[in-house]
Every structure is written in structure tokens, then in C-alpha cells.
Amino acid sequence: MDQVLAMAAQEHAHRTAIRETDRQVTYQELQRLAESRAIALQQLGVKAGDRVAVWLPRGIENVASLWAATMVGAAYLPLDSSHPLSRVRYI
């Protein structure tokens, strides 16, 4: 996923990558979001081989977070944002 999105960001930098109801981002903007989140993950101690749970609604922030996890070599676990906190903690 990381390489595919990086290539898309390079080849289609100014094209819309994701559109939400009231917001949209280009591939370049999405890549920047993911890079900043990857840095934050590394600062939190996440490294290659770790697992990162992502508990966000579908959309820009979710995709950027998933991409960030792959950038640091971690596996991601997308959690349904509609699940209650007790279920998420169990998982």
C-alpha cells in the first residue's frame, strides 16, 4: 500500500485522492498527512513489526493513519468507529 500511494502522490499530486462531504484532499496533501502521522507514531515508539489500531470513522484521517502505519513498517488494525469503547479495548 505504501508504495502504491507514494507513486500516486508523485504522479497525480494535485488530483483529488479523497472527497468527504465538506472536505477533499489531493494525493500530495494525503501523503503529507500520512508522513506527519508516521513521525508521530515513531515518536510514540512504533516501529516495524508493531501493530497499530486505528479507531476512526472512514475518511481522510482514517486513510492517512493507515498509510502512516505502513510507512513505519507496522501492521494496522482498522477498528469500526461505531463499536463501543469497551469492545475496542477488548480487541
Side-chain angles (χ1 to χ4, degrees), residues 20-64:
E20 292 180 347
T21 306
D22 59 347
R23 181 178 171 207
Q24 67 182 25
V25 293
T26 64
Y27 282 97
Q28 186 177 49
E29 292 167 330
L30 181 61
Q31 183 176 28
R32 286 185 185 142
L33 276 171
E35 287 170 350
S36 69
R37 287 175 184 261
I39 290 167
L41 288 173
Q42 289 173 322
Q43 290 172 343
L44 289 169
V46 176
K47 58 190 177 310
D50 286 346
R51 291 168 287 188
V52 175
V54 178
W55 187 38
L56 293 166
R58 291 182 184 186
I60 295 167
E61 303 303 327
N62 185 296
V63 173

Side-chain angles (χ1 to χ4, degrees), residues 64-76:
S65 297
L66 299 177
W67 190 1
T70 64
M71 284 178 167
V72 298
Y76 59 83

Side-chain angles (χ1 to χ4, degrees), residues 53 55 77 79-91:
W55 187 38
L77 174 62
L79 299 171
D80 189 332
S81 64
S82 68
H83 287 166
L85 181 57
S86 59
R87 170 119 174 104
V88 172
R89 283 186 176 151
Y90 173 76
I91 294 171

